[in-house]
Amino acid sequence: MVTKSTIKALILDMDGVLWRDTEPIGDLNTIFKKIDQLGLHTSFATNNATRSIEQYVQKLQSFGVNAKPEQIVNSGIATARYLQQHFPSGGRVYIIGEEGLFATLGNYGFTHSIEDPIAVVASLDRQVNYQKLKEATTFIRAGIPFIGTNPDPALPTPGGYIPGTGAILAALSAASGRKPEIMGKPSPVMYQILLSGMNIKAENALAVGDQMPTDIVAGIEAGCQTALVLTGVSTRETVDNFEFQPTCVVQDLAQLIDGLE
């Protein structure tokens, strides 16, 4: 069980934990007031690379939650840092993604191009088409690095689940015969970035997410305590199918915070 005495910080997923697309999950303003009263550090780690960090700050504010850019990391940031490590001078990459990813990679010196790209980066793209898949497949088959921002197969929305990055990666893998290098969760990299920024030991952080294969695996790999909320993708039945277990399973974020009180 999770107890307040062992927790100094929360690392929160967003989709399926805080909201479903444009619909908040619970009264977020009230929930975060309680978190502040508990004296907990708060940060956010999301596999969704469709928005820039500034856009996430604005979305949180729209739900009554104040956050600074340094409190937020997404798989776009993890991807940009990986590219920067391997290509310090920046360069041209072929991107399947949305505006937020283009902006994030651009900030690190990587621009979209169909002319001799040094890597293919694939993410959620709600305007993906056959031409994009064809071009990306051609480059991947040529042998350049194939990077996926995250493996999430689906995203929760008020109207049901929609295809996620994992669905696009599956198409590219089928066509190219290659599997991508994954930057986001279940890799623990985003959690490690946030823990370092907060100067908090992993065992004193609670990673909260709605997906066992990504959020919870990443939290365990990072050494954090973990909480699964049942407002997104994974269910209680999902938990039973995994050898590892989260520290706790709760109905939603509000119930988790009330339990810490």
Side-chain angles (χ1 to χ4, degrees):
M1 291 295 293
V2 175
T3 61
K4 171 63 174 64
S5 61
T6 62
I7 299 299
K8 295 182 180 178
L10 300 175
I11 302 178
L12 302 171
D13 182 38
M14 296 186 185
D15 294 294
V17 175
L18 303 182
W19 52 64
R20 299 182 190 93
D21 197 14
T22 58
E23 184 178 280
I25 300 173
D27 184 342
L28 295 180
N29 181 262
T30 298
I31 291 170
F32 277 84
K33 283 181 179 178
K34 290 181 179 180
I35 292 172
D36 289 341
Q37 290 168 0
L38 288 168
L40 297 172
H41 295 273
T42 307
S43 59
F44 306 88
T46 176
N47 267 353
N48 193 331
T50 61
R51 290 183 173 88
S52 67
I53 298 304
E54 291 74 18
Q55 288 172 319
Y56 275 115
V57 169
Q58 293 169 6
K59 183 166 184 176
L60 285 163
Q61 287 177 339
S62 74
F63 292 130
V65 179
N66 292 319
K68 298 178 181 178
E70 56 266 29
Q71 291 175 262
I72 305 169
V73 171
N74 69 358
S75 61
I77 293 289
T79 300
R81 291 192 176 200
Y82 176 86
L83 286 169
Q84 193 175 55
Q85 289 173 354
H86 289 79
F87 306 102
S89 299
R92 296 176 293 191
V93 294
Y94 187 84
I95 305 169
I96 292 180
E98 299 188 4
E99 178 184 343
L101 180 61
F102 281 76
T104 298
L105 296 182
N107 289 338
Y108 283 77
F110 297 95
T111 56
H112 174 70
S113 177
I114 61 171
E115 299 294 332
D116 299 319
I118 55 178
V120 170
V121 176
S123 186
L124 179 63
D125 182 349
R126 282 163 285 200
Q127 282 74 48
V128 70
N129 56 37
Y130 191 83
Q131 182 67 21
K132 292 179 182 180
L133 294 174
K134 183 180 77 171
E135 291 170 348
T137 297
T138 300
F139 293 131
I140 295 166
R141 279 185 168 272
I144 64 174
F146 173 26
I147 299 166
T149 58
N150 68 86
D152 295 0
L155 291 176
T157 72
Y161 294 102
I162 62 172
T165 300
I168 294 172
L169 296 179
L172 293 173
S173 292
S176 68
R178 289 179 57 194
K179 293 184 178 180
E181 296 181 74
I182 300 296
M183 299 294 107
K185 297 174 280 189
S187 166
V189 169
M190 289 193 291
Y191 290 161
Q192 292 165 346
I193 291 171
L194 292 168
L195 288 167
S196 176
M198 293 187 291
N199 196 26
I200 296 288
K201 293 181 179 179
E203 59 265 29
N204 296 130
L206 179 63
V208 184
D210 69 300
Q211 298 201 46
M212 286 290 293
T214 52
D215 303 319
I216 303 306
V217 170
I220 292 172
E221 289 290 326
C224 300
Q225 298 184 59
T226 56
L228 178 75
V229 296
L230 301 176
T231 47
V233 175
S234 292
T235 64
R236 289 191 184 276
E237 290 72 26
T238 307
V239 178
D240 295 337
N241 292 328
F242 284 83
E243 292 183 8
F244 58 87
Q245 296 289 294
T247 311
C248 68
V249 179
V250 294
Q251 189 59 42
D252 54 25
L253 182 60
Q255 184 184 74
L256 176 66
I257 302 307
D258 287 344
L260 290 177
E261 284 187 304

